[in-house]
């Protein structure tokens, strides 16, 4: 499994926070952590819990897929293609069927 890139996660948080014109201090108040902690997260120096990352995503109106992995509708196909390249060709059909089944399950 791929390691999380905390520097990239922090960059995405900072970019979105600035787009929304929210200071580190204000964000820290909104999610009940210290401004120093937000600074550390944005620099990739502090690793935050799932609860904190979820609060940040909700507060900044970001999807967790984008916040954690950088996945957007614009790069969605590329992401799945990159995953496909990591598995043996004989398993391509299984991969596609699994994705279809997951998509069907998530419709509800």
């Amino acid at each position: 499994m791929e390691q999380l890139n905390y520097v990239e996660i922090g960059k995405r948080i900072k970019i979105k926070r600035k787009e929304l014109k929210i200071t580190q201090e204000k964000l820290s108040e909104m999610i009940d952590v210290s401004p120093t902690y937000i600074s550390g997260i944005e620099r990739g120096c502090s690793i935050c819990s799932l609860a904190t990352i979820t609060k940040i995503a909700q507060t900044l109106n970001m999807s967790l897929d984008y916040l954690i992995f950088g996945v957007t509708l614009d790069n969605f196909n590329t992401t799945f293609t990159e995953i496909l390249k990591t598995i043996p060709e004989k398993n391509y059909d299984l991969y596609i069927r699994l994705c279809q089944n997951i998509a069907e399950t998530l419709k509800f």
Side-chain angles (χ1 to χ4, degrees), residues 53-93:
I53 203 81
T54 301
K55 283 182 190 177
I56 291 170
Q58 289 173 336
T59 302
L60 298 179
N61 196 27
M62 303 171 76
S63 76
L64 284 172
D65 281 337
Y66 173 69
L67 181 54
I68 296 172
F69 301 111
V71 176
T72 65
L73 288 177
D74 294 335
N75 68 12
F76 196 73
N77 287 333
T78 304
T79 302
F80 279 96
T81 302
E82 291 302 315
I83 294 169
L84 190 62
K85 289 177 183 178
T86 67
I87 63 175
E89 192 172 328
K90 66 181 182 177
N91 292 331
Y92 283 6
D93 187 54

Side-chain angles (χ1 to χ4, degrees), residues 35-56:
T36 304
Y37 188 49
I38 294 295
S39 175
I41 292 170
E42 288 186 356
R43 289 180 287 114
C45 300
S46 296
I47 298 172
C48 55
S49 68
L50 180 57
T52 300
I53 203 81
T54 301
K55 283 182 190 177
I56 291 170

